[in-house]
Amino acid sequence: MFSALRTVSRSRGFASHSAVQGFNGAVGNTPLIYLKGISEKTGSKIYGKAEFQNPGGSVKDRAALGLVRNAEAKGLIKPGGTVVEGTAGNTGIGLAHVCRAKGYKCVIYMPSTQSQEKIDLLRMLGADVRPVPAVAFENPQNYNHQAREYAESLENAIWTNQFDNVANADAHYTSTGPEIWEQTQGQIDGFICSTGTGGTLAGIGKYLKEKSGGKTQIWLADPPGSVLTSYVESEGKLVERSGSSITEGIGQGRITDNLETFVKELSGAFTVPDNKSISMLYELLDTEGLYLGASSALNVVAAVELAERLGRGSTVVTILCDGAYRYQSRLFSRKWLVSKGLEEAIPEHLKKYIVLE
């Protein structure tokens, strides 16, 4: 255990020790947190990349900044322009912050099923938020298609296209992947996380696999209702999407262009049930003091399972995507948990954290 803690202490040297330029300069260089309780249970070293410590509060700050910088480098947007995106929340929040810092207008199309906390925050950040009915990607009224069409109708505007613009994955290949490699001193047996756009998994996975000479296994963790596990296990067969999950912004019914850059290199994939994710969310709060969202909890459940597959003594890293602040009216509400059939998934000694009715 102490050697693991010393590794994390040394790894903090990756972070800048000088002042940074505004919001955009503060994105990245997040800590790698040793998860003591579950590491000791598994006999492995399990770490979470603390992406909730990005200035906008989530891993999507990296993609947002990368997408805008890529558009600027290509001359696709000029001062005073408009940035448009279709997003389930966190990418939109990151873009709203980046746009404020850079002086762009920001328009966000999002499924109306997303949490009110996210919608309110986007509006507080000055974004023009346009909730639309949640329909499949194949439907012309899907929020992504509406975002694209609106951007195309404007002068000096871009649709950042987070799902299929590989500048998303590139942002993680050039930042998050190198940070993890340095923070673990290259001693990493497995990396696993869930995916929505595919950028985080593809970018980090590509970097770690290259640096390790193929030794680091890269796995995909899936929520219920996503088709990606079946796609990986069947070596490329897409099935019709069915079911749903309490998680937001992860899972897919298709292979995005970002994921396509790496999906054939994946070591494997598996699905994490919602009851395990909600139980882990409460456990992490109780034992680690970490107040995390459901997708982060799903990632940690997956990291534990991967560590067990790789064996005692293995080192596994995952992503702590964001905090629970944007979902607390649901995740800590007894009424909501009961409505989802999840209250009984929470161990009795942890139900004290259900403080909202």
Side-chain angles (χ1 to χ4, degrees):
M1 179 187 76
F2 293 109
S3 62
L5 294 174
R6 284 196 294 271
T7 297
V8 175
S9 177
R10 289 194 299 269
S11 73
R12 290 303 298 274
F14 193 98
S16 173
H17 294 291
S18 60
V20 298
Q21 291 294 316
F23 176 93
N24 298 331
V27 174
N29 290 314
T30 57
L32 190 67
I33 299 177
Y34 175 66
L35 301 176
K36 178 176 179 288
I38 58 175
S39 292
E40 292 180 347
K41 285 181 182 178
T42 61
S44 299
K45 301 182 185 73
I46 299 175
Y47 298 92
K49 184 74 164 138
E51 291 300 284
F52 59 88
Q53 288 197 13
N54 278 304
S58 87
V59 65
K60 295 298 187 179
D61 288 358
R62 296 187 192 251
L65 184 58
L67 291 165
V68 173
R69 282 178 170 170
N70 179 261
E72 291 173 332
K74 292 180 176 179
L76 300 177
I77 190 168
K78 298 176 177 61
T82 302
V83 173
V84 186
E85 183 55 281
T87 169
N90 279 334
T91 301
I93 291 167
L95 284 170
H97 278 289
V98 170
C99 286
R100 292 277 58 75
K102 287 179 171 285
Y104 298 127
K105 302 179 186 70
C106 184
V107 179
I108 301 297
Y109 284 80
M110 68 189 306
S112 55
T113 54
Q114 298 306 295
S115 67
Q116 190 61 42
E117 288 96 334
K118 284 184 179 178
I119 296 172
D120 291 343
L121 178 55
L122 280 165
R123 288 174 172 157
M124 290 173 194
L125 292 171
D128 176 357
V129 185
R130 304 183 180 191
V132 297
V135 295
F137 183 80
E138 294 75 19
N139 190 313
Q141 295 304 305
N142 178 274
Y143 63 102
N144 291 291
H145 304 320
Q146 293 197 49
R148 183 194 70 248
E149 291 170 1
Y150 181 69
E152 290 173 348
S153 73
L154 301 176
E155 293 291 331
N156 191 21
I158 58 166
W159 171 48
T160 46
N161 189 15
Q162 62 165 327
F163 291 89
D164 296 311
N165 183 343
V166 296
N168 178 346
D170 288 344
H172 291 284
Y173 179 82
T174 58
S175 69
T176 329
E179 289 174 32
I180 291 172
W181 183 259
E182 182 173 321
Q183 288 169 321
T184 59
Q185 298 184 334
Q187 302 301 307
I188 174 171
D189 299 298
F191 174 82
I192 188 167
C193 72
S194 54
T195 184
T197 66
T200 303
L201 180 64
I204 295 173
K206 181 181 179 183
Y207 184 87
L208 294 178
K209 201 147 191 181
E210 287 179 359
K211 288 294 288 187
S212 69
K215 294 179 181 178
T216 300
Q217 292 193 24
I218 311 297
W219 286 66
L220 184 153
D222 229 11
S226 175
V227 305
L228 299 180
T229 292
S230 63
Y231 180 88
V232 173
E233 290 180 340
S234 67
E235 298 183 347
K237 294 181 181 179
L238 275 175
V239 298
E240 185 175 348
R241 189 170 186 173
S242 63
S244 62
S245 172
I246 63 167
T247 57
E248 296 183 17
I250 58 174
Q252 262 297 345
R254 66 186 182 97
I255 303 302
T256 65
D257 285 0
N258 278 288
L259 186 56
E260 180 65 36
T261 65
F262 189 74
V263 68
K264 293 179 181 178
E265 302 300 316
L266 288 169
S267 303
F270 53 82
T271 298
V272 176
D274 280 348
N275 64 327
K276 289 188 176 181
S277 295
I278 198 71
S279 176
M280 180 61 77
L281 186 148
Y282 277 72
E283 180 180 346
L284 289 168
L285 174 59
D286 188 63
T287 62
E288 306 286 349
L290 293 172
Y291 190 60
L292 301 171
S295 55
S296 299
L298 181 152
N299 284 347
V300 175
V301 173
V304 170
E305 182 167 335
L306 180 56
E308 290 171 345
R309 292 184 184 213
L310 295 178
R312 295 180 67 85
S314 58
T315 296
V316 175
V317 175
T318 192
I319 299 293
L320 306 181
C321 316
D322 63 6
Y325 303 97
R326 294 168 186 170
Y327 322 94
Q328 59 192 16
S329 64
R330 297 181 181 187
L331 297 175
F332 295 91
S333 162
R334 189 176 305 278
K335 181 178 179 181
W336 185 84
L337 290 166
V338 169
S339 74
K340 299 296 182 181
L342 292 173
E343 184 187 18
E344 295 310 308
I346 301 169
E348 198 63 36
H349 71 285
L350 299 181
K351 289 183 178 179
K352 61 186 178 184
Y353 297 112
I354 306 175
V355 297
L356 303 176
E357 290 302 322

